[in-house]
Amino acid sequence: TFGAAVLASSGGLAVQETATVQDIVPSIDEVRAMSTRFARADIGADISGLPENERRTLAKLVDAARLMDALFLRQVWAGNDAMLQDLARRNDPRLHYFLINKGPWSRLDHNRLFVPGAPAKPEGANFYPAGTTKDQIDKWIESLSGDAKAQATGFFTTIRRTPAGTLTAVPYSVEYQGELAHAAALLRDAAKLTTQPSLRKYLTTRADAFISNDYYASDVAWMELDASIEPTIGPYEVYEDEWFNFKAAFEAFITLRDDVETKKLDSFAGHLQALENALPIDPKYRNAK
């Protein structure tokens, strides 16, 4: 608790209320200090071993991954795009911390607001219509059955209102069709450039998923990846949906396989059975294979 603070006055009478740290927007200097808790780090990889065509594949994947940032911003809060543009236009010092947090709330400080004018962080993110409550959505879901209920509670739909005011599930492929069509085109370009079959299959099926909203085949292809480039791109974690943990948020990781370290790991793997056989436990508890 921050203590008693004068928040308003009327007719010469000061009105005092108890305010918490969460209620008080930090100054720009405080925001700068908050941002110093995040150390800058360059994260890179040695691409010297990649053939030219695979480097071009990698470049396409990085371009597609950048689109996931824009999608995630939209999913966190409907006002994020406008606030980002406003902060950039005014060269506001809070822009850096906004980009770190993907919104105007400090995630290290229990989502404390640090940009004036924004509301409290919506617990339903931007997956549900503005102005609705968790209870309203829950009652609507419970009124459904079969495929309609599966769509409403699915990972890859938002909930929106129809022109008539009723609730409906909207596939990600429709809600985010512009960004996903662009990302799908980049993945298909990357698939044409690579000569690695499992990578080509994953990129092709994931591009299809962005358009069809069916991610199963591409998830299987991701599990079967055996390539020098290993991307993870699409909707996965459900933490932003604090109401139900139903809705998956977009993210991307582009990694390169480290063959030197992989060989070291393989050498250890070759001794796993010997280690298992030597465990100081009753043999019946050891894994024979």
Side-chain angles (χ1 to χ4, degrees), residues 122-133:
E123 293 182 352
N126 189 25
F127 298 119
Y128 306 96
T132 56
T133 65

Side-chain angles (χ1 to χ4, degrees), residues 11 42 52 90 119 125 196 199 219 243 246 254 256 269 272 285:
D42 290 327
E52 177 59 28
R90 294 187 289 105
Q196 302 180 83
L199 179 58
D219 282 338
W243 276 357
F246 285 160
I254 309 298
L256 299 187
L272 284 178
Y285 297 119

Side-chain angles (χ1 to χ4, degrees), residues 31-106:
V31 173
R32 287 195 179 104
M34 292 161 75
S35 69
T36 62
R37 294 174 296 178
F38 291 84
R40 289 182 177 273
D42 290 327
I43 301 175
D46 181 7
I47 66 170
S48 61
L50 289 180
E52 177 59 28
N53 68 298
E54 300 299 347
R55 294 188 193 189
R56 292 167 63 197
T57 298
L58 182 62
K60 293 288 185 181
L61 293 178
V62 170
D63 286 343
R66 289 195 175 109
L67 293 173
M68 301 300 108
D69 260 3
L71 283 176
F72 185 75
L73 275 170
R74 285 180 59 191
Q75 290 183 305
V76 171
W77 177 44
N80 259 342
D81 284 347
M83 181 164 281
L84 172 62
Q85 292 178 44
D86 180 62
L87 292 172
R89 178 179 53 80
R90 294 187 289 105
N91 197 26
D92 193 299
R94 287 169 286 223
L95 176 61
H96 174 62
Y97 201 49
F98 178 96
L99 292 172
I100 288 175
N101 288 278
K102 295 296 185 288
W105 308 280
S106 179

Side-chain angles (χ1 to χ4, degrees), residues 61 64-65 68 183 187 202 206 210 231-236 251-254:
L61 293 178
M68 301 300 108
L187 294 189
Y202 170 67
R206 182 49 47 122
F210 284 164
T232 300
I233 182 168
Y236 287 98
E251 61 182 285
F253 300 89
I254 309 298

Side-chain angles (χ1 to χ4, degrees), residues 15-247:
V15 179
Q16 291 189 324
E17 296 180 7
T18 299
T20 65
V21 172
Q22 293 293 97
D23 298 323
I24 299 174
V25 178
S27 67
I28 289 178
D29 286 341
E30 287 179 290
V31 173
R32 287 195 179 104
M34 292 161 75
S35 69
T36 62
R37 294 174 296 178
F38 291 84
R40 289 182 177 273
D42 290 327
I43 301 175
D46 181 7
I47 66 170
S48 61
L50 289 180
E52 177 59 28
N53 68 298
E54 300 299 347
R55 294 188 193 189
R56 292 167 63 197
T57 298
L58 182 62
K60 293 288 185 181
L61 293 178
V62 170
D63 286 343
R66 289 195 175 109
L67 293 173
M68 301 300 108
D69 260 3
L71 283 176
F72 185 75
L73 275 170
R74 285 180 59 191
Q75 290 183 305
V76 171
W77 177 44
N80 259 342
D81 284 347
M83 181 164 281
L84 172 62
Q85 292 178 44
D86 180 62
L87 292 172
R89 178 179 53 80
R90 294 187 289 105
N91 197 26
D92 193 299
R94 287 169 286 223
L95 176 61
H96 174 62
Y97 201 49
F98 178 96
L99 292 172
I100 288 175
N101 288 278
K102 295 296 185 288
W105 308 280
S106 179
R107 293 174 183 262
L108 279 185
D109 303 290
H110 307 288
N111 293 322
R112 181 185 178 189
L113 178 67
F114 63 87
V115 179
K121 189 175 187 294
E123 293 182 352
N126 189 25
F127 298 119
Y128 306 96
T132 56
T133 65
K134 178 182 178 181
D135 186 57
Q136 288 172 332
I137 299 296
D138 194 30
K139 287 180 178 178
W140 172 69
I141 290 173
E142 289 306 311
S143 72
L144 304 174
S145 61
D147 185 61
K149 189 169 187 177
Q151 286 291 315
T153 60
F155 292 131
F156 314 124
T157 62
T158 58
I159 306 304
R160 298 291 181 245
R161 287 198 182 278
T162 67
T166 58
L167 295 170
T168 187
V170 179
Y172 281 5
S173 55
V174 175
E175 178 84 15
Y176 311 116
Q177 58 184 304
E179 293 92 336
L180 290 180
H182 188 185
L186 288 167
L187 294 189
R188 290 195 177 101
D189 288 345
K192 293 175 184 176
L193 290 166
T194 185
T195 57
Q196 302 180 83
S198 66
L199 179 58
R200 184 186 301 116
K201 181 178 180 180
Y202 170 67
L203 296 178
T204 301
T205 53
R206 182 49 47 122
D208 292 343
F210 284 164
I211 305 303
S212 70
N213 216 52
D214 183 353
Y215 285 83
Y216 181 77
S218 60
D219 282 338
V220 173
W222 181 80
M223 294 291 292
E224 296 173 345
L225 260 179
D226 182 15
S228 59
I229 305 171
E230 296 188 357
T232 300
I233 182 168
Y236 287 98
E237 305 295 351
V238 296
Y239 308 132
E240 288 301 312
D241 179 4
E242 296 181 54
W243 276 357
F244 304 105
N245 291 134
F246 285 160
K247 307 307 178 184

